[in-house]
Structure formats: C-alpha cells, structure tokens
Amino acid sequence: MYRFLLTPRWLGGTALAVAAVAVCVWLGSWQLGRFEDRVSTHQETKQSLTASSEVRPIDALLGPATPQVSTETVGKPVTVTGSYDTEHQLLVPNRVLDGKQGYYVLTPLRTADGHAVAVVRGWAAGDPSGAAPTAEAAPTGPVTVTGRLQANESVGSNGAVAGGLPAGQLGMINRAALLNVLAYDGWYDGWVAADQVPAGLTAVPTVQPQGGDGLTLRAFQNLGYTLEWFVFAGFVVFMWFRLMRQTAEAEQDRALGLDPVLD
C-alpha cells in the first residue's frame, strides 16, 4: 500500500519536505540562540553592576581609551570633583519614576580642567503640562559628588524628546544636546545620577541604555521567531503525513476495486 513512496515523485517530495524541516529547525535554533545570548548579556550586566561596588573617579572609566559610556560601565559608581554651575540648572521633563510623571533636576558640574559633567541631583514629581517644580539650589564651592554613571539618552527612550521645550528645560541628556545649551570646553559622555539628593528630591535609579541590557523587545522578537520557525517545521511534517495518508487510502481503495465510476 505504501510502495508509492518509492516513486520518483514521492522521493522528490519527501526530500524537499525533509530539507524544509531542516531549514526551519536550523533557523529556529539560531533565533533561540540569539535570545539566549541577549538574556546572558542581561544577566552578566546585572552581575557586573552588583559585584562592582568600588567607587572610582570618573576619569578612570571615561578616559582617552574609553571615552563613551558602555554596557560595561553604565551603573558603575563614580566620583567627580568640581563646582556646580548653579546659574544653569536644567529640568528634564517626562521622566517617570514609580509610575509618576516628573522631572530630573540636572546641574552641570565644572571640573578643575574646565570640562563639565551632567549631574542629575534627583527627581521631582510634576505634570509636564503644569508648572515646573522648584528644587533646592545646588551648593556653591568645591564639592565631590558620588553617583552612578549613566548612558546618553536618545529620542524615544525614557521620555526623551528632541526639542520644543521652554527655556531652562532639556529634552534629553546627551553630549550633543548639552553642547547646544551650554558650550563648555567639553562634556563628559553620559551623565551621573547622584546618590545623595537634597530634600524634596528622589534619587534616580540606574537607567539601562536602550538595547543594551539584553532583555529588549528585539530579544523577545527572537523568541517569537523561534516559535514561528518550529511551527513551520511541524506544519510541513503534518502536511506530508496527511498527503501520505490520503494517497495510501486512495491506493487501498483502488486495490479493493472501490474507485468511483465516472459516467
């Protein structure tokens, strides 16, 4: 009854089905590997941030060899010494903390060599459509700030926008945006979230850079593609088996003389 499987037509069809299943399984396994890599990166980053409790000067992390904040340095505790530029404090709107809308309070800190560091001294609750909050003025004179290194923001991440804000407000925290507002000799990459905040403000938690911590939308897309490819492989097997059964039943009917009589 199954001798038809040895015909050239069925041998070719079976070979094609096997090849299709193999390709689907390979692509599904590759997508699963991509997802596992992203999860592993996420876990390694978390472990690195947890294990690294040593506070280091900002120059030790953002030197000539590594001038930009990366997934390896984001969240690392740093210190920076200088004087706050109290005349150019900025508010960064549309920042959500614990489900509430508010503002980051950003005060530039000038170092002895003239460079500047964007220091977010804390978060204040406030509706962007209403009056902006007021924050306690930054201290004058030399200070040493301890905080966590944060990555540059980009449009669409964490409420960041390109512009269109009132004077004294900043749409996103990155070197280019800061240079447009305050043309200092140079800005350190990223920004620092201060650990010690003044009364009325809340400390800002570490914000992972978009796409840098492993568990992004793209990671879960990889998982979805994995499922799709495995479903395709199962569908090919199902259709081959179904067609084989139909053909076998038709062969059996012919052997029993049950072919329909056509007028």
Side-chain angles (χ1 to χ4, degrees), residues 77-214:
V78 296
T79 61
V80 56
T81 300
S83 299
Y84 279 118
D85 183 356
T86 56
E87 295 182 0
H88 295 103
Q89 182 164 279
L90 298 168
L91 294 177
V92 187
N94 301 314
R95 297 304 184 266
V96 178
L97 186 63
D98 295 332
K100 298 179 181 179
Q101 282 280 354
Y103 296 75
Y104 287 167
V105 178
L106 187 157
T107 309
L109 188 143
R110 304 292 303 276
T111 62
D113 61 2
H115 283 69
V117 180
V119 176
V120 172
R121 297 193 299 123
W123 174 91
D127 188 344
S129 61
T134 57
E136 180 182 326
T140 59
V143 295
T144 297
V145 177
T146 300
R148 284 150 291 107
L149 196 59
Q150 311 276 18
N152 284 323
E153 294 182 334
S154 58
V155 175
S157 65
N158 196 31
V161 295
L165 296 173
Q169 295 190 18
L170 186 69
M172 57 182 166
I173 311 173
N174 62 39
R175 186 185 298 175
L178 289 164
L179 279 171
N180 287 334
V181 177
L182 298 170
Y184 295 144
D185 293 339
W187 286 88
Y188 279 92
D189 190 60
W191 48 287
V192 174
D195 290 335
Q196 299 296 324
V197 301
L201 299 184
T202 302
V204 176
T206 297
V207 180
Q208 286 289 347
Q210 188 175 23
D213 66 352

Side-chain angles (χ1 to χ4, degrees), residues 5-157:
L5 292 174
L6 299 178
T7 61
R9 177 185 175 187
W10 269 93
L11 288 174
T14 300
L16 182 62
V18 170
V21 170
V23 170
C24 289
V25 171
W26 179 80
L27 289 173
S29 300
W30 179 73
Q31 291 288 353
L32 182 60
R34 293 282 293 169
F35 172 75
E36 291 174 343
D37 288 343
R38 295 181 188 278
V39 172
S40 177
T41 300
H42 169 74
Q43 292 174 341
E44 290 174 359
T45 301
K46 288 183 64 177
Q47 291 172 356
S48 175
L49 294 179
T50 302
S52 177
S53 58
E54 179 187 359
V55 181
R56 304 173 65 187
I58 193 170
D59 289 331
L61 297 180
L62 297 180
T66 55
Q68 295 182 325
V69 180
S70 66
T71 54
E72 286 75 28
T73 56
V74 67
K76 298 280 181 147
V78 296
T79 61
V80 56
T81 300
S83 299
Y84 279 118
D85 183 356
T86 56
E87 295 182 0
H88 295 103
Q89 182 164 279
L90 298 168
L91 294 177
V92 187
N94 301 314
R95 297 304 184 266
V96 178
L97 186 63
D98 295 332
K100 298 179 181 179
Q101 282 280 354
Y103 296 75
Y104 287 167
V105 178
L106 187 157
T107 309
L109 188 143
R110 304 292 303 276
T111 62
D113 61 2
H115 283 69
V117 180
V119 176
V120 172
R121 297 193 299 123
W123 174 91
D127 188 344
S129 61
T134 57
E136 180 182 326
T140 59
V143 295
T144 297
V145 177
T146 300
R148 284 150 291 107
L149 196 59
Q150 311 276 18
N152 284 323
E153 294 182 334
S154 58
V155 175
S157 65

